[in-house]
Every structure is written in C-alpha cells, then in structure tokens.
Amino acid sequence: MSAHTENEIVIAAPLDLVWDMTNDVANWPQLFTEYASAEILRQEGEKTTFRLTMHPDENGKVWSWVSEREADRDTLTVKARRVETGPFAFMNIRWRYEEVPQGTRMVWTQDFEMKAEAPVDDAWMTDNINRNSMVQMALIRDRIEQAATEHRPVPSLAD
C-alpha cells in the first residue's frame, strides 16, 4: 500500500522566474525554511543529485538524505526520488508547472510508502506532508512574488 499527496499553489509571477527559482537546488535553503543546506553532489545534463539537510527537529535530530531530480523544461515537469530513502520504502516526487491567467500554478505530487520499522505510518506522513507543503508553498510564493516585484522594469516617462 502506498500513499499519495498532491498540493498546489498559484504564484503571481512569470513561469520563467518560478521555474528558475524553484529548480535552483543549491539555493533551496534561501527558498525553503526547512532546509539548512543543499549540497550538489553531481550534475549530469538536467539531472541533479544532491544532499538535503534539514534544520534540527524539536528533539534536536538533524535529518539528511540524498535525492535526484530531473527537470524537463519542455514539459514543465520535474521528476525526483529519494536515493537514500531513510524511513521511506520509497519516495517519488513530481512537480508540474502551468501558466495561468494569475501567473504560474505549481503542483507537487508525492507518492511514497513508509518502511514497517519507521517511527510513523503512511497516514501520519501524508498529513505531515500535506500540512508542511502548504506552509512551504506559501513561503515560496511570497519569496518569488517579491523577486518578481523587484525585477519588474520601471516604466520610463515615455511610456
């Protein structure tokens, strides 16, 4: 039995900016509040292998794992998976982007299964991912919308 989550947000910013900022893995600690560091281990074309390290949890434990993701700009999708699965039997992630009248829709889909010996089950992790995804997506939206505002050309007097 596997679990599935899907969360989305609309960002009032151009697709190119949303794509560039959310696919710059090395800068994820400035985009997400949960990551202390993102270390690029290998880059092969559009495939990136990287280590994410989270800030310590409430018990002082630091979680870290290796993932790989492959971005496909033509289809506006990114496929990712955990290489070091930790408490997960598997974790597959898909990001989709779509231009909409209000800006850019970003959708995160996660399919996973917890190991039998994991400290939490699929239902607990589903709730956790859904709750945390909405927090992180709102922060990302705010940061990208701020960047979009800062990068807008100033109209000249002739305009």
Side-chain angles (χ1 to χ4, degrees):
M1 185 81 174
S2 63
H4 173 85
T5 66
E6 186 164 295
N7 293 281
E8 68 176 68
I9 198 162
V10 173
I11 302 169
L15 175 66
D16 286 339
L17 181 62
V18 175
W19 177 269
D20 290 346
M21 287 183 70
T22 59
N23 285 293
D24 183 0
V25 175
N27 280 312
W28 277 7
Q30 285 71 51
L31 197 59
F32 292 81
T33 57
E34 60 190 344
Y35 300 135
S37 67
E39 176 190 1
I40 304 301
L41 304 174
R42 188 171 47 255
Q43 183 78 45
E44 299 169 19
E46 295 303 316
K47 184 185 279 187
T48 305
T49 304
F50 56 98
R51 174 173 294 284
L52 286 176
T53 302
M54 297 183 80
H55 294 288
D57 67 15
E58 61 278 354
N59 299 317
K61 177 148 177 59
V62 174
W63 297 91
S64 181
W65 64 90
V66 173
S67 289
E68 66 181 23
R69 60 190 273 125
E70 190 161 5
D72 184 337
R73 183 67 172 84
D74 292 338
T75 63
L76 301 176
T77 60
V78 178
K79 291 181 183 171
R81 68 179 187 92
R82 281 194 181 201
V83 176
E84 292 177 2
T85 57
F88 295 93
F90 68 89
M91 167 62 86
N92 297 318
I93 304 167
R94 185 166 185 249
W95 290 22
R96 296 186 325 269
Y97 301 81
E98 175 188 3
E99 282 188 283
V100 294
Q102 306 87 350
T104 303
R105 175 181 290 122
M106 181 175 67
V107 182
W108 294 349
T109 304
Q110 293 168 288
D111 292 297
F112 63 92
E113 184 176 312
M114 302 307 295
K115 291 179 180 172
E117 66 273 14
V120 299
D121 62 11
D122 288 354
W124 186 95
M125 187 56 73
T126 297
D127 289 343
N128 186 61
I129 288 172
N130 283 331
R131 204 171 32 258
N132 192 53
S133 290
M134 295 315 301
V135 169
Q136 294 301 314
M137 286 179 136
L139 289 164
I140 289 167
R141 177 199 59 214
D142 294 349
R143 289 174 175 168
I144 293 174
E145 288 178 355
Q146 178 67 36
T149 300
E150 292 169 359
H151 290 99
R152 283 201 180 105
V154 177
S156 70
L157 293 176
D159 289 343

